[in-house]
Amino acid sequence: MEQRVSKAAWSAYTEQDTVALARQLAAWAGPGSLLALDGDLGAGKTRFSQAFAEAIGVKGIVNSPTFTIIKEYDGETLPFYHMDVYRLSLEEADELGLDDYFYGNGVTIVEWASLIAELLPDERLELYIENLGGESRRIGLTGFGERYAGWCEALNEIGADR
């Protein structure tokens, strides 16, 4: 059976527009949700992750796990697992036992996810954040699987690319 795939685009003219997308996705997230983030350096991957974490009730500072690779946080509704795989080889990432996070009770955001694409679950939401200058961003979303394709379709219905 072929997997359902859907796409959406989100235009963020200000940082608050990026935060609004993160909040909406957080509202739909549940145990085992996986968001795979990519984009150029400085595009806003960590800022998106911070807004998402805040939306699920993570208290305190959420910063980039560039050197620690994985940071775990307690949210009010779900645990939050924040990963940055930029400095890892595919083999190193494979040795970390990421499936425990991907299929666990929390929500996982992986920054630089395309570097470990073959280790990611088939069902996931991919986001590519493109810096358009200043605070403006264009965020392309691709939902793989029923749940995430539904998220993209819902974003399209509410006018994601506004």
Side-chain angles (χ1 to χ4, degrees):
M1 185 169 142
E2 193 168 311
Q3 177 173 246
R4 188 169 154 211
V5 178
S6 187
K7 294 180 180 276
W10 185 270
S11 295
Y13 303 105
T14 66
E15 183 179 326
Q16 282 310 108
D17 292 336
T18 299
V19 169
L21 175 61
R23 287 181 179 155
Q24 181 59 69
L25 296 176
W28 293 331
S33 293
L34 176 72
L35 283 71
L37 297 184
D38 280 289
D40 295 330
L41 282 170
K45 294 178 294 296
T46 299
R47 180 63 189 109
F48 175 90
S49 299
Q50 291 167 334
F52 187 97
E54 182 182 324
I56 64 168
V58 172
K59 303 292 183 212
I61 297 171
V62 172
N63 51 27
S64 177
T66 301
F67 296 102
T68 55
I69 313 302
I70 302 170
K71 289 189 177 180
E72 299 179 21
Y73 301 91
D74 291 323
E76 289 175 9
T77 56
L78 296 163
F80 177 58
Y81 311 124
H82 188 198
M83 302 178 184
D84 183 328
V85 297
Y86 184 74
R87 300 184 184 286
L88 291 181
S89 69
L90 187 59
E91 294 76 26
E92 290 168 327
D94 194 27
E95 293 172 5
L96 289 176
L98 299 178
D99 283 355
D100 293 340
Y101 294 99
F102 297 159
Y103 299 103
N105 294 324
V107 177
T108 303
I109 290 183
V110 181
E111 295 187 27
W112 301 101
S114 62
L115 297 174
I116 63 163
E118 57 194 75
L119 299 178
L120 297 174
D122 291 339
E123 295 193 9
R124 63 186 179 274
L125 181 67
E126 292 183 353
L127 296 92
Y128 186 86
I129 304 174
E130 181 183 2
N131 186 341
L132 302 177
E135 290 185 4
S136 294
R137 304 289 186 268
R138 178 134 176 104
I139 305 169
L141 301 96
T142 305
F144 295 92
E146 198 65 34
R147 171 179 19 181
Y148 304 110
W151 292 7
C152 289
E153 290 163 9
L155 286 172
N156 286 327
E157 286 177 19
I158 62 174
D161 196 7
R162 50 200 199 295

